[in-house]
Amino acid sequence: MTTQRDLELLHKAARLAIRGHGGAEPNPMVGCVITNRNGTIVGSGYHRTCGEAHAEINAIQSAGDETLGGTAYITLEPCNHHGKTSPCTHALVESGIKRIVIGVEDPHPEAGGGAEFLERSGLDVTIVNDALCHDLVAPFVHRLKTGLPWVICKWAQTTDGCIEPDNDGSQWISSQASLRMVHRERGRVDAIIVGAGTVASDNPSLTVRDATKRRTPVRVVIDPSLRTSLDSNICNDEAPTLIAHAEGEDASRFASDSIALPATNHSLDLAPLLRHLSTEYDATNVIIEGGATTFGHVFDQCLVHELWVFTAPHTANHTPKINMNDLVANLSLRLMDERMRENDTVSRYRVTHCQ
Protein backbone atom coordinates (compact mmCIF):
# COMPACT_ATOMS: atom_id res chain seq x y z
CA MET A 1 0.00 0.00 0.00
CA THR A 2 1.29 3.44 -0.94
CA THR A 3 0.97 6.10 1.76
CA GLN A 4 0.97 9.89 1.51
CA ARG A 5 4.46 9.83 3.04
CA ASP A 6 5.57 7.47 0.25
CA LEU A 7 4.36 9.94 -2.38
CA GLU A 8 6.02 12.87 -0.62
CA LEU A 9 9.38 11.10 -0.60
CA LEU A 10 8.96 9.89 -4.18
CA HIS A 11 8.30 13.48 -5.29
CA LYS A 12 11.32 14.62 -3.30
CA ALA A 13 13.34 12.14 -5.35
CA ALA A 14 11.77 13.57 -8.53
CA ARG A 15 12.87 17.09 -7.59
CA LEU A 16 16.37 15.75 -7.01
CA ALA A 17 16.35 14.06 -10.42
CA ILE A 18 15.83 17.38 -12.21
CA ARG A 19 19.26 18.49 -10.99
CA GLY A 20 20.73 16.02 -13.47
CA HIS A 21 19.15 17.75 -16.48
CA GLY A 22 21.87 18.50 -19.00
CA GLY A 23 24.25 15.90 -17.60
CA ALA A 24 22.23 12.69 -17.46
CA GLU A 25 20.96 12.74 -21.05
CA PRO A 26 20.64 10.71 -23.21
CA ASN A 27 19.98 8.61 -20.09
CA PRO A 28 16.81 9.44 -18.16
CA MET A 29 16.86 11.80 -15.20
CA VAL A 30 16.49 9.69 -12.04
CA GLY A 31 16.38 10.55 -8.34
CA CYS A 32 16.51 8.40 -5.22
CA VAL A 33 15.79 9.01 -1.52
CA ILE A 34 16.57 6.45 1.18
CA THR A 35 15.04 6.23 4.66
CA ASN A 36 16.22 4.02 7.52
CA ARG A 37 14.06 1.45 9.30
CA ASN A 38 12.52 4.28 11.35
CA GLY A 39 11.48 6.28 8.29
CA THR A 40 14.11 9.01 8.66
CA ILE A 41 15.83 10.21 5.48
CA VAL A 42 19.44 9.05 5.59
CA GLY A 43 20.57 9.30 1.96
CA SER A 44 19.72 10.81 -1.39
CA GLY A 45 21.18 11.06 -4.86
CA TYR A 46 20.48 11.64 -8.52
CA HIS A 47 22.01 10.61 -11.84
CA ARG A 48 24.46 13.43 -12.54
CA THR A 49 26.28 12.39 -15.70
CA CYS A 50 25.69 9.80 -18.40
CA GLY A 51 28.17 6.95 -17.96
CA GLU A 52 28.70 7.64 -14.27
CA ALA A 53 26.98 6.34 -11.12
CA HIS A 54 23.19 6.12 -11.17
CA ALA A 55 20.93 7.78 -8.61
CA GLU A 56 20.58 4.64 -6.48
CA ILE A 57 24.35 4.21 -6.11
CA ASN A 58 24.85 7.85 -5.12
CA ALA A 59 22.03 7.59 -2.57
CA ILE A 60 23.36 4.34 -1.09
CA GLN A 61 26.81 5.87 -0.73
CA SER A 62 25.41 8.96 0.98
CA ALA A 63 23.39 6.79 3.41
CA GLY A 64 26.38 4.71 4.48
CA ASP A 65 25.51 2.10 7.13
CA GLU A 66 21.98 3.44 7.60
CA THR A 67 20.46 1.49 4.70
CA LEU A 68 19.90 -1.79 6.59
CA GLY A 69 16.17 -2.45 6.81
CA GLY A 70 15.36 0.82 5.11
CA THR A 71 13.29 1.96 2.11
CA ALA A 72 14.46 3.36 -1.21
CA TYR A 73 12.23 5.75 -3.16
CA ILE A 74 13.28 5.74 -6.82
CA THR A 75 11.64 7.67 -9.65
CA LEU A 76 12.40 4.99 -12.27
CA GLU A 77 12.66 1.21 -11.96
CA PRO A 78 16.28 0.33 -11.11
CA CYS A 79 18.35 -1.04 -13.98
CA ASN A 80 19.00 -4.76 -14.00
CA HIS A 81 21.75 -5.07 -16.61
CA HIS A 82 25.46 -4.45 -17.07
CA GLY A 83 25.91 -1.35 -19.22
CA LYS A 84 28.38 1.46 -18.55
CA THR A 85 27.72 0.74 -14.86
CA SER A 86 26.81 -2.35 -12.83
CA PRO A 87 23.14 -3.20 -12.13
CA CYS A 88 21.60 -0.96 -9.48
CA THR A 89 19.35 -3.84 -8.43
CA HIS A 90 22.35 -5.78 -7.13
CA ALA A 91 23.60 -2.80 -5.15
CA LEU A 92 20.16 -2.32 -3.57
CA VAL A 93 20.00 -5.95 -2.47
CA GLU A 94 23.54 -5.82 -1.07
CA SER A 95 22.77 -2.62 0.86
CA GLY A 96 20.24 -4.41 3.07
CA ILE A 97 17.32 -2.22 1.97
CA LYS A 98 14.08 -4.13 2.46
CA ARG A 99 11.49 -2.02 0.63
CA ILE A 100 11.52 -0.28 -2.76
CA VAL A 101 8.98 2.31 -3.92
CA ILE A 102 9.28 2.94 -7.68
CA GLY A 103 7.72 5.85 -9.58
CA VAL A 104 7.43 4.22 -13.01
CA GLU A 105 8.56 1.08 -14.79
CA ASP A 106 11.63 1.23 -17.03
CA PRO A 107 10.52 0.86 -20.67
CA HIS A 108 14.01 0.03 -21.91
CA PRO A 109 14.06 -3.58 -23.18
CA GLU A 110 17.57 -4.23 -21.85
CA ALA A 111 17.53 -2.31 -18.57
CA GLY A 112 14.03 -3.38 -17.43
CA GLY A 113 13.10 -6.23 -15.14
CA GLY A 114 14.56 -4.64 -12.03
CA ALA A 115 11.38 -4.86 -9.97
CA GLU A 116 11.00 -8.57 -10.68
CA PHE A 117 14.62 -9.23 -9.70
CA LEU A 118 14.21 -7.30 -6.44
CA GLU A 119 11.05 -9.22 -5.56
CA ARG A 120 12.79 -12.54 -6.24
CA SER A 121 15.54 -11.36 -3.92
CA GLY A 122 13.03 -10.94 -1.09
CA LEU A 123 12.42 -7.19 -1.16
CA ASP A 124 8.99 -5.59 -0.88
CA VAL A 125 8.47 -3.69 -4.16
CA THR A 126 5.74 -1.18 -5.03
CA ILE A 127 5.37 0.49 -8.44
CA VAL A 128 3.28 3.62 -8.02
CA ASN A 129 2.85 4.62 -11.69
CA ASP A 130 3.20 8.25 -10.60
CA ALA A 131 2.32 11.12 -12.97
CA LEU A 132 5.21 13.37 -11.89
CA CYS A 133 7.70 10.56 -12.47
CA HIS A 134 6.15 9.90 -15.89
CA ASP A 135 6.70 13.56 -16.80
CA LEU A 136 10.29 13.29 -15.63
CA VAL A 137 11.20 10.44 -17.99
CA ALA A 138 8.94 11.49 -20.89
CA PRO A 139 11.79 12.80 -23.12
CA PHE A 140 13.76 9.58 -22.62
CA VAL A 141 10.72 7.38 -23.30
CA HIS A 142 9.74 9.39 -26.38
CA ARG A 143 13.21 9.07 -27.93
CA LEU A 144 13.34 5.37 -27.05
CA LYS A 145 10.00 4.68 -28.77
CA THR A 146 10.23 7.03 -31.78
CA GLY A 147 13.90 7.79 -32.35
CA LEU A 148 13.04 11.51 -32.18
CA PRO A 149 14.04 14.10 -29.57
CA TRP A 150 11.67 15.88 -27.19
CA VAL A 151 10.59 19.25 -28.63
CA ILE A 152 10.08 22.32 -26.44
CA CYS A 153 8.69 25.51 -28.01
CA LYS A 154 9.74 28.60 -26.06
CA TRP A 155 8.71 32.21 -26.55
CA ALA A 156 8.14 35.50 -24.76
CA GLN A 157 4.88 37.31 -25.38
CA THR A 158 2.71 40.15 -24.16
CA THR A 159 -0.63 39.42 -22.54
CA ASP A 160 -2.35 39.88 -25.89
CA GLY A 161 -0.19 37.25 -27.60
CA CYS A 162 2.41 39.40 -29.38
CA ILE A 163 5.95 38.02 -29.65
CA GLU A 164 7.38 40.99 -31.60
CA PRO A 165 9.15 43.69 -29.54
CA ASP A 166 7.39 47.03 -29.25
CA ASN A 167 8.21 49.85 -31.65
CA ASP A 168 10.14 51.72 -28.97
CA GLY A 169 13.57 50.32 -29.77
CA SER A 170 13.47 47.68 -27.04
CA GLN A 171 14.89 44.31 -28.08
CA TRP A 172 13.29 42.19 -25.36
CA ILE A 173 9.76 41.46 -24.17
CA SER A 174 10.67 39.44 -21.10
CA SER A 175 12.67 40.43 -18.02
CA GLN A 176 16.35 39.85 -17.35
CA ALA A 177 15.41 37.11 -14.88
CA SER A 178 13.48 35.34 -17.63
CA LEU A 179 16.43 35.68 -20.02
CA ARG A 180 18.72 34.10 -17.44
CA MET A 181 16.28 31.20 -17.12
CA VAL A 182 16.31 30.73 -20.90
CA HIS A 183 20.11 30.69 -21.06
CA ARG A 184 20.27 28.19 -18.20
CA GLU A 185 17.97 25.88 -20.17
CA ARG A 186 19.97 26.44 -23.36
CA GLY A 187 23.00 25.09 -21.52
CA ARG A 188 21.16 21.86 -20.78
CA VAL A 189 19.63 20.94 -24.15
CA ASP A 190 21.09 19.49 -27.32
CA ALA A 191 19.80 21.86 -30.01
CA ILE A 192 18.23 25.31 -30.46
CA ILE A 193 16.07 25.77 -33.56
CA VAL A 194 14.95 29.02 -35.21
CA GLY A 195 13.62 30.03 -38.59
CA ALA A 196 15.50 32.02 -41.20
CA GLY A 197 13.23 35.00 -40.51
CA THR A 198 14.43 35.17 -36.92
CA VAL A 199 18.04 35.08 -38.08
CA ALA A 200 17.40 37.88 -40.58
CA SER A 201 15.53 40.14 -38.14
CA ASP A 202 17.33 39.49 -34.84
CA ASN A 203 20.74 38.11 -35.88
CA PRO A 204 20.93 35.92 -32.75
CA SER A 205 24.02 34.02 -31.64
CA LEU A 206 21.94 31.26 -29.96
CA THR A 207 24.75 30.56 -27.50
CA VAL A 208 24.73 30.11 -23.74
CA ARG A 209 25.62 33.30 -21.89
CA ASP A 210 25.95 34.02 -18.15
CA ALA A 211 24.81 30.51 -17.24
CA THR A 212 26.34 27.12 -16.54
CA LYS A 213 26.86 25.27 -19.81
CA ARG A 214 26.52 21.54 -19.26
CA ARG A 215 26.48 20.93 -22.99
CA THR A 216 26.90 22.98 -26.16
CA PRO A 217 23.66 22.89 -28.18
CA VAL A 218 23.85 22.78 -31.97
CA ARG A 219 22.24 25.84 -33.56
CA VAL A 220 19.70 24.95 -36.23
CA VAL A 221 18.29 27.30 -38.86
CA ILE A 222 15.22 26.24 -40.83
CA ASP A 223 15.99 28.04 -44.08
CA PRO A 224 14.14 26.56 -47.10
CA SER A 225 15.69 28.87 -49.73
CA LEU A 226 19.08 29.34 -48.03
CA ARG A 227 18.77 33.09 -47.56
CA THR A 228 20.84 33.16 -44.36
CA SER A 229 23.86 35.46 -44.68
CA LEU A 230 27.29 34.00 -44.02
CA ASP A 231 27.93 37.12 -41.92
CA SER A 232 25.16 36.16 -39.47
CA ASN A 233 26.14 35.44 -35.89
CA ILE A 234 24.64 32.00 -36.35
CA CYS A 235 27.50 31.18 -38.74
CA ASN A 236 30.33 31.97 -36.31
CA ASP A 237 32.46 29.27 -34.69
CA GLU A 238 31.15 29.66 -31.14
CA ALA A 239 29.00 26.54 -31.52
CA PRO A 240 28.13 24.02 -34.25
CA THR A 241 25.45 25.08 -36.75
CA LEU A 242 23.10 23.02 -38.90
CA ILE A 243 21.24 24.53 -41.86
CA ALA A 244 17.98 22.79 -42.82
CA HIS A 245 16.88 23.63 -46.37
CA ALA A 246 14.56 22.47 -49.11
CA GLU A 247 15.58 19.64 -51.39
CA GLY A 248 17.23 20.89 -54.57
CA GLU A 249 18.92 23.89 -52.93
CA ASP A 250 22.74 24.16 -53.08
CA ALA A 251 24.14 24.52 -49.54
CA SER A 252 27.79 24.27 -50.56
CA ARG A 253 28.52 27.90 -49.60
CA PHE A 254 27.91 27.02 -45.95
CA ALA A 255 30.87 25.56 -44.11
CA SER A 256 28.49 24.21 -41.47
CA ASP A 257 26.52 20.97 -41.62
CA SER A 258 23.33 20.99 -43.67
CA ILE A 259 20.37 18.74 -44.34
CA ALA A 260 17.92 18.76 -47.25
CA LEU A 261 14.27 18.31 -46.27
CA PRO A 262 11.24 17.39 -48.40
CA ALA A 263 8.33 19.81 -48.59
CA THR A 264 4.92 19.01 -47.15
CA ASN A 265 1.84 21.27 -47.29
CA HIS A 266 3.86 24.33 -48.33
CA SER A 267 6.44 23.90 -45.55
CA LEU A 268 9.42 21.67 -44.89
CA ASP A 269 8.86 18.26 -43.35
CA LEU A 270 10.61 18.69 -40.00
CA ALA A 271 10.50 15.08 -38.78
CA PRO A 272 13.64 14.11 -40.79
CA LEU A 273 15.43 17.08 -39.21
CA LEU A 274 14.55 15.89 -35.72
CA ARG A 275 15.63 12.35 -36.57
CA HIS A 276 18.95 13.72 -37.88
CA LEU A 277 19.47 15.58 -34.61
CA SER A 278 18.82 12.37 -32.67
CA THR A 279 21.08 10.11 -34.72
CA GLU A 280 23.90 12.52 -35.61
CA TYR A 281 23.93 14.78 -32.54
CA ASP A 282 22.59 12.33 -29.93
CA ALA A 283 19.84 14.84 -29.14
CA THR A 284 17.29 14.12 -26.43
CA ASN A 285 15.90 17.63 -25.86
CA VAL A 286 15.64 20.49 -28.37
CA ILE A 287 14.24 24.00 -27.99
CA ILE A 288 12.50 25.87 -30.77
CA GLU A 289 12.74 29.62 -30.25
CA GLY A 290 10.63 30.77 -33.18
CA GLY A 291 9.41 32.87 -34.72
CA ALA A 292 5.71 32.48 -35.11
CA THR A 293 5.85 30.98 -38.62
CA THR A 294 8.20 28.25 -37.44
CA PHE A 295 5.99 27.54 -34.42
CA GLY A 296 3.00 27.25 -36.75
CA HIS A 297 4.73 24.63 -38.90
CA VAL A 298 5.78 22.64 -35.83
CA PHE A 299 2.25 22.73 -34.43
CA ASP A 300 0.71 21.76 -37.78
CA GLN A 301 3.03 18.75 -38.00
CA CYS A 302 2.26 17.74 -34.39
CA LEU A 303 5.92 17.65 -33.43
CA VAL A 304 5.72 19.69 -30.22
CA HIS A 305 5.63 18.16 -26.74
CA GLU A 306 6.08 21.06 -24.37
CA LEU A 307 5.60 24.85 -24.28
CA TRP A 308 7.50 27.41 -22.23
CA VAL A 309 5.62 30.71 -22.38
CA PHE A 310 7.06 33.85 -20.78
CA THR A 311 4.25 36.40 -20.50
CA ALA A 312 5.14 40.02 -19.74
CA PRO A 313 2.48 41.99 -17.83
CA HIS A 314 1.53 44.44 -20.58
CA THR A 315 -0.08 44.59 -24.00
CA ALA A 316 1.72 45.36 -27.25
CA ASN A 317 1.71 48.86 -28.73
CA HIS A 318 1.03 47.43 -32.18
CA THR A 319 -1.05 44.66 -33.73
CA PRO A 320 0.94 41.39 -33.92
CA LYS A 321 1.41 39.72 -37.29
CA ILE A 322 0.51 36.40 -35.67
CA ASN A 323 -1.24 36.17 -32.31
CA MET A 324 0.30 33.35 -30.28
CA ASN A 325 -2.85 33.01 -28.17
CA ASP A 326 -4.71 32.15 -31.37
CA LEU A 327 -1.90 29.94 -32.68
CA VAL A 328 -2.03 27.57 -29.70
CA ALA A 329 -5.84 27.32 -29.78
CA ASN A 330 -5.74 23.94 -31.57
CA LEU A 331 -3.39 22.44 -28.99
CA SER A 332 -4.67 20.58 -25.95
CA LEU A 333 -2.51 21.70 -23.05
CA ARG A 334 -1.91 20.63 -19.46
CA LEU A 335 -0.31 23.18 -17.18
CA MET A 336 2.72 21.56 -15.54
CA ASP A 337 4.24 24.49 -13.70
CA GLU A 338 3.78 28.24 -13.30
CA ARG A 339 6.11 30.66 -11.57
CA MET A 340 7.18 34.30 -11.58
CA ARG A 341 10.44 35.72 -12.90
CA GLU A 342 10.43 39.36 -11.83
CA ASN A 343 7.12 40.55 -13.34
CA ASP A 344 6.89 37.81 -15.97
CA THR A 345 4.63 34.78 -15.63
CA VAL A 346 6.46 31.65 -16.80
CA SER A 347 4.03 28.89 -17.78
CA ARG A 348 5.16 25.41 -18.69
CA TYR A 349 2.65 23.26 -20.56
CA ARG A 350 2.58 19.63 -21.72
CA VAL A 351 1.00 19.25 -25.15
CA THR A 352 -1.46 16.39 -24.80
CA HIS A 353 -2.98 16.63 -28.28
CA CYS A 354 -2.66 18.71 -31.44
CA GLN A 355 -4.91 18.86 -34.51
Side-chain angles (χ1 to χ4, degrees):
M1 177 179 177
T2 304
T3 67
Q4 184 61 36
R5 174 64 171 169
D6 288 337
L7 292 177
E8 290 173 359
L9 292 173
L10 191 60
H11 291 172
K12 182 178 180 65
R15 291 190 294 273
L16 275 174
I18 295 172
R19 297 183 185 181
H21 179 32
E25 293 90 350
N27 283 352
M29 295 181 288
V30 181
C32 177
V33 170
I34 295 175
T35 60
N36 62 16
R37 64 176 73 238
N38 298 319
T40 302
I41 295 175
V42 293
S44 62
Y46 61 95
H47 185 34
R48 293 184 175 91
T49 306
C50 180
E52 297 183 2
H54 290 184
E56 300 91 324
I57 305 304
N58 289 327
I60 289 170
Q61 290 176 348
S62 73
D65 296 333
E66 295 291 320
T67 56
L68 191 64
T71 300
Y73 298 86
I74 313 166
T75 57
L76 180 67
E77 183 180 9
C79 65
N80 192 43
H81 79 304
H82 286 272
K84 294 181 179 179
T85 61
S86 299
C88 291
T89 50
H90 294 196
L92 289 164
V93 171
E94 292 167 3
S95 73
I97 288 172
K98 292 302 180 184
R99 180 171 180 248
I100 307 289
V101 178
I102 297 169
V104 293
E105 291 181 277
D106 191 338
H108 198 287
E110 295 180 2
E116 182 181 353
F117 174 86
L118 292 169
E119 288 181 330
R120 290 201 309 268
S121 300
L123 280 70
D124 178 9
V125 179
T126 299
I127 300 178
V128 178
N129 197 27
D130 178 71
L132 182 59
C133 294
H134 274 292
D135 283 344
L136 190 65
V137 299
F140 168 76
V141 173
H142 174 73
R143 187 183 180 205
L144 183 66
K145 291 183 175 180
T146 68
L148 302 176
W150 189 256
V151 176
I152 304 163
C153 286
K154 185 280 301 178
W155 67 85
Q157 67 171 50
T158 57
T159 54
D160 52 343
C162 179
I163 65 173
E164 305 145 18
D166 284 338
N167 299 323
D168 58 3
S170 174
Q171 185 180 2
W172 310 110
I173 294 176
S174 55
S175 66
Q176 288 300 310
S178 293
L179 291 174
R180 287 193 294 271
M181 185 177 178
V182 170
H183 279 274
R184 185 168 64 249
E185 184 63 14
R186 279 184 180 182
R188 296 176 177 179
V189 301
D190 302 292
I192 306 169
I193 302 175
V194 297
T198 296
V199 174
S201 61
D202 299 344
N203 194 22
S205 296
L206 299 186
T207 53
V208 181
R209 299 186 297 278
D210 301 321
T212 300
K213 186 167 66 172
R214 297 183 178 178
R215 51 188 61 212
T216 299
V218 58
R219 304 171 295 186
V220 183
V221 184
I222 300 174
D223 186 1
S225 60
L226 293 176
R227 59 190 174 104
T228 298
S229 169
L230 293 177
D231 294 326
S232 302
N233 289 333
I234 202 81
C235 294
N236 64 29
D237 59 1
E238 294 181 24
T241 300
L242 172 65
I243 307 294
H245 59 88
E247 291 178 335
E249 296 289 338
D250 182 7
S252 59
R253 68 186 179 93
F254 291 94
S256 55
D257 192 9
S258 64
I259 178 174
L261 302 176
T264 175
N265 295 328
H266 308 293
S267 65
L268 297 184
D269 183 357
L270 300 179
L273 168 63
L274 295 175
R275 191 171 302 279
H276 181 80
L277 289 171
S278 178
T279 57
E280 300 302 320
Y281 292 89
D282 208 14
T284 299
N285 297 285
V286 304
I287 290 180
I288 298 179
E289 296 195 1
T293 300
T294 300
F295 290 138
H297 293 327
V298 174
F299 296 169
D300 288 343
Q301 296 178 40
C302 291
L303 294 173
V304 58
H305 307 102
E306 199 169 313
L307 306 181
W308 284 30
V309 184
F310 295 75
T311 304
H314 62 83
T315 58
N317 65 7
H318 63 284
T319 302
K321 297 177 182 177
I322 299 178
N323 188 303
M324 291 303 297
N325 294 334
D326 295 336
L327 196 61
V328 301
N330 290 330
L331 301 178
S332 297
L333 304 175
R334 170 170 59 87
L335 182 64
M336 300 174 66
D337 180 66
E338 192 163 82
R339 63 187 66 186
M340 299 300 295
R341 282 294 181 269
E342 293 183 6
N343 293 323
D344 297 339
T345 302
V346 185
S347 305
R348 184 178 167 210
Y349 299 96
R350 175 62 48 82
V351 179
T352 58
H353 180 70
C354 61
Q355 57 184 6

